[in-house]
Amino acid sequence: MPQINTTGDFDTEVDVLVVGAGGAGLVAALAAHAAGATVAVVEKHDRAGGNTALSTGSVPGGGTRYQAEAGIEDSPERMAEDLLRQSGPHDAEWLTRQLAVQSAPLVEWLREDVGIELDLITDYKHVGHSVPRLHAPKSRKGQDLVDDLVRALEEREIPLVLGHPVEDLLLDDDGAVSGVLVRGDRVAETRLGAPNIVLAANGFGGNREMLREYCPDIAQAEYFGAHGSTGEAVAWVRDLGAKLENIGAYQGYAAVAYPHGSITSWTTVEMGGVLVNPHGQRFGDETIGYSGFAADVLANGGTSWVLFDERIRDYVAGNELEFRELVELGGVRTAEDPRELAEYFDLPAEALAATVAEAARDAAAGAPDRFGRSDFGFGPLQAPYAMCRTTPGLFHTQGGAAIDVDARPLRTDGSTIPRIFATGGVAVGISGRTGGRGYSSGNGLLTAMGLGRVAGAAAANVPLPR
């Protein structure tokens, strides 16, 4: 529970204090600094990044100048329609529309004002998007995005204090948040004060108890997200009376390479690949997305294999560094006959061969198959075939505190909790009300960085145009 700071004394005070140094916190600090505030960032771990560092660094922007230059017609309205179509039932549709409106200015600000390397990805649209609108580092590694953001903080001389865990919020005599208490095994107890505090910590993906309470269908999946996602900041705002929205939503990943631990790029599926269970059989429509399909894998044996072909393997490896590294490490096997792959992976040979034949017929037919899938990318799979053993995983949660247009947490009666702002895994996300099926590619970074910019500017008392 937040503690009363009866003395009102602080070791250090700034205009805006940011808790958490993932993409949300780093962007919030940059936005607050750009608005003229003095800012500091505290992070409990010894390096910045959070889940942003583990992502592909893809930030969606609807109607950016880079899309226009590439001849791609897009708009915030189209982007919002796409995201809401994917998300389904929702506690915060208004936020989806607000972030869609602010998405192009966000991407252009990051690239042109902050100096972040972000290029439009034109070779695929990815889950939930009707046109290419993801902007990412050339490497498509989130760590490169984080490195650019940290460099931008250094250039602006914004203090970034690592290895300093915030144990709790501090309240003044009137019960309003006035600062934070930093305390840990390797740091002296410190009280940091600020009139406005941005809570930009990760969610609760690493907290099994909270997962069982809020996201039971994915609670048994292996967690592959940032170690800092232990849910304390969500608990802080909940204890202050914040209403929780979309709290059952999360980003899963149906195909984490086993035992390598890197993702088996979902582009392999979008280009025509399929997933099979331990019986060598398909078990659903893979095109619902890598997040939504994770629960299906859990319900069908908990282990799966992604089956594609050498043509798809080479295409994806030529565009995505992480997948290319997986191939180079031997995580993808190839063979002329699917029975050879079945023997290697200890799957029923005839069942796998029948699955390949059926998928080829379905892809050639062009009509929805028995699972409802109608998009097979490059068409029927061809020999040589390729295969990777995978496991479903949880990457991060997508629900949190209800907020207003300036990212201030809201109580159940609709009133704002003063002097704090929520973003990152602390705030409500835009992936719908329950489960992983509502997740569109880039939703995590759009919410983190989009709301980070909103929260940072509002905390500096210079809200963004709406």
Side-chain angles (χ1 to χ4, degrees):
M1 292 289 290
Q3 303 179 26
I4 299 294
N5 182 24
T6 55
T7 65
D9 294 332
F10 294 101
D11 298 292
T12 302
E13 295 186 66
V14 291
D15 296 334
V16 177
L17 180 65
V18 180
V19 179
L26 297 174
V27 168
L30 289 165
H33 180 271
T38 59
V39 190
V41 183
V42 290
E43 163 62 40
K44 65 181 177 182
H45 287 294
D46 292 332
R47 62 184 300 177
N51 279 315
T52 301
L54 303 178
S55 73
T56 61
S58 301
V59 185
T64 67
R65 67 186 62 176
Y66 318 116
Q67 288 176 300
E69 290 167 359
I72 297 168
E73 293 186 10
D74 198 12
S75 68
E77 294 76 20
R78 181 173 185 173
M79 178 173 166
E81 289 173 4
D82 285 350
L83 298 182
L84 291 171
R85 186 183 308 111
Q86 180 76 12
S87 70
H90 214 306
D91 291 335
E93 288 189 12
W94 70 270
L95 180 60
T96 303
R97 299 185 190 283
Q98 175 176 323
L99 290 177
V101 168
Q102 294 174 344
S103 65
L106 168 68
V107 169
E108 292 168 7
W109 174 75
L110 286 169
R111 178 166 164 166
E112 297 171 19
D113 293 6
V114 182
I116 306 300
E117 179 196 281
L118 289 174
D119 293 328
L120 176 66
I121 299 173
T122 58
D123 50 298
Y124 60 82
K125 295 176 290 188
H126 239 341
V127 177
H129 301 283
S130 61
V131 296
R133 62 168 65 99
L134 298 180
H135 302 72
K138 285 184 173 63
S139 66
R140 299 182 191 178
K141 283 193 168 185
Q143 185 61 56
D144 288 342
L145 174 59
V146 170
D147 290 345
D148 278 354
L149 290 168
V150 170
R151 174 191 46 76
L153 260 69
E154 292 171 346
E155 291 173 350
R156 291 157 178 78
E157 299 182 344
I158 300 173
L160 170 59
V161 185
L162 303 174
H164 279 59
V166 172
E167 183 176 278
D168 218 333
L169 302 178
L170 297 175
L171 309 181
D172 62 21
D173 293 332
D174 296 324
V177 177
S178 59
V180 302
L181 174 65
V182 174
R183 184 158 53 196
D185 295 337
R186 295 178 295 159
V187 297
E189 180 174 308
T190 308
R191 293 170 181 261
L192 306 177
N196 289 302
I197 297 173
V198 178
L199 297 178
N202 284 321
F204 54 91
N207 186 318
R208 197 67 63 178
E209 182 178 346
M210 292 181 75
L211 285 176
R212 285 193 290 266
E213 180 179 0
Y214 296 123
C215 305
D217 66 328
I218 201 70
Q220 298 309 310
E222 186 172 353
Y223 177 59
F224 289 96
H227 295 303
S229 299
T230 47
E232 60 268 39
V234 176
W236 295 337
V237 293
R238 182 188 61 191
D239 291 345
L240 287 171
K243 179 182 180 182
L244 301 182
E245 292 187 334
N246 289 343
I247 196 63
Y250 58 83
Q251 186 214 331
Y253 205 91
V256 180
Y258 179 88
H260 304 80
S262 60
I263 63 173
T264 303
S265 171
W266 206 248
T267 310
T268 59
V269 176
E270 292 173 329
M271 294 300 103
V274 297
L275 270 70
V276 300
N277 62 19
H279 302 294
Q281 301 169 334
R282 288 180 62 213
F283 49 92
D285 176 8
E286 300 90 348
T287 60
I288 66 172
Y290 51 79
S291 179
F293 209 60
D296 294 64
V297 177
L298 277 176
N300 282 270
T303 300
S304 62
W305 289 259
V306 184
L307 175 66
F308 42 107
D309 60 27
E310 194 172 80
R311 171 189 49 166
I312 294 173
R313 181 200 69 184
D314 293 345
Y315 172 80
V316 180
N319 288 289
E320 300 182 29
L321 177 60
E322 185 171 358
F323 182 76
R324 182 161 68 247
E325 292 172 344
L326 176 64
V327 172
E328 292 170 350
L329 289 170
V332 176
R333 302 287 298 190
T334 58
E336 289 290 332
D337 189 325
R339 294 173 181 83
E340 296 179 47
L341 294 173
E343 181 178 358
Y344 179 83
F345 287 110
D346 195 24
L347 297 172
E350 295 307 317
L352 186 64
T355 295
V356 171
E358 180 185 29
R361 290 194 301 270
D362 292 338
D369 64 15
R370 62 192 175 98
F371 299 111
R373 178 172 177 173
S374 59
D375 187 350
F376 284 88
F378 288 160
L381 300 178
Q382 306 171 2
Y385 300 99
M387 204 171 199
C388 179
R389 183 181 179 183
T390 61
T391 186
L394 170 64
F395 278 16
H396 54 84
T397 52
Q398 286 278 293
I403 56 172
D404 70 3
V405 293
D406 290 322
R408 302 174 191 270
L410 297 174
R411 300 186 180 93
T412 54
D413 64 4
S415 62
T416 59
I417 300 174
R419 302 181 64 174
I420 60 172
F421 300 80
T423 181
V426 187
V428 58
I430 57 172
S431 297
R433 192 169 291 140
T434 58
R437 295 193 176 219
Y439 188 84
S440 294
S441 295
N443 269 11
L445 283 187
L446 176 61
T447 305
M449 302 180 83
L451 274 183
R453 188 172 180 230
V454 168
N461 299 313
V462 187
L464 294 178
R466 294 191 288 271

